[in-house]
Amino acid sequence: MKIKFKIATPEKVVYEDEVDEVILPTQLGEIGVLPNHLPIVSSLSAGEILIKKDGQETHLAVSGGFVEFNNNQMTILADTAERVEEIDEQRAEAARARVQELLSQQRDRESVDFTGLAAKMERELARLKVARKYKGHKAGPQIKVEE
Ligand code: ATP
């Protein structure tokens, strides 16, 4: 028994396949979904999505969105989503630094869109987390070697 999984953004279908398990960041915390799970309707938080299929793992960074699961079919509509190999770590780090700078410069101004900046910060941190954890390490998290 598999899960028919699909994740799409307004731009494209990011990943679509029949998979064994999906672990995803909902607003109530991280949940793991196996075939025959009860139906789910939830919003997603920024974070990491882990997809398992035939012993292989696929890692995605997601910025938020909406998930629906019913009858072994899962559909995620995400604001943005990238597979780990698509993530440009330097771009995410540059964007994170820009947001940090804006937040620190404009702390006193009423016109600042704190919600927008905070959301962008969460997006960039999710990309950085996934990229740093898995890039070039398909088998699992990077192991740091003490010098
Ligand atoms: P930036 O400030 O870095 O230009 P942005 O705020 O314009 O980013 P988003 O609105 O989060 O970016 O996303 C726009 C598109 O760019 C989406 O398709 C998203 O998947 C892609 N994207 C954004 N940042 C990255 C990144 N670091 N690596 C790969 N794709 C990215």
Side-chain angles (χ1 to χ4, degrees), residues 5 10 12 20 35-37 40-41 46 49 53 57 59-60 75 80 82 84 96 104 107-108 122 124 126 128 134 146:
F5 178 84
K12 62 175 180 179
D20 298 308
N36 296 330
H37 194 287
I40 299 166
V41 175
I49 296 178
K53 178 191 163 89
E57 293 187 351
H59 307 275
L60 303 162
T75 306
T80 65
E82 300 93 34
V84 63
R96 188 206 60 76
S104 64
R107 192 159 291 156
D108 308 323
E122 290 205 342
E124 306 305 346
L128 289 170
Y134 301 109
E146 296 284 331

Side-chain angles (χ1 to χ4, degrees), residues 55-67:
Q56 301 267 41
E57 293 187 351
T58 299
H59 307 275
L60 303 162
V62 67
S63 64
F66 195 73
V67 57

Side-chain angles (χ1 to χ4, degrees), residues 70 77 81:
N70 198 11
L77 296 175

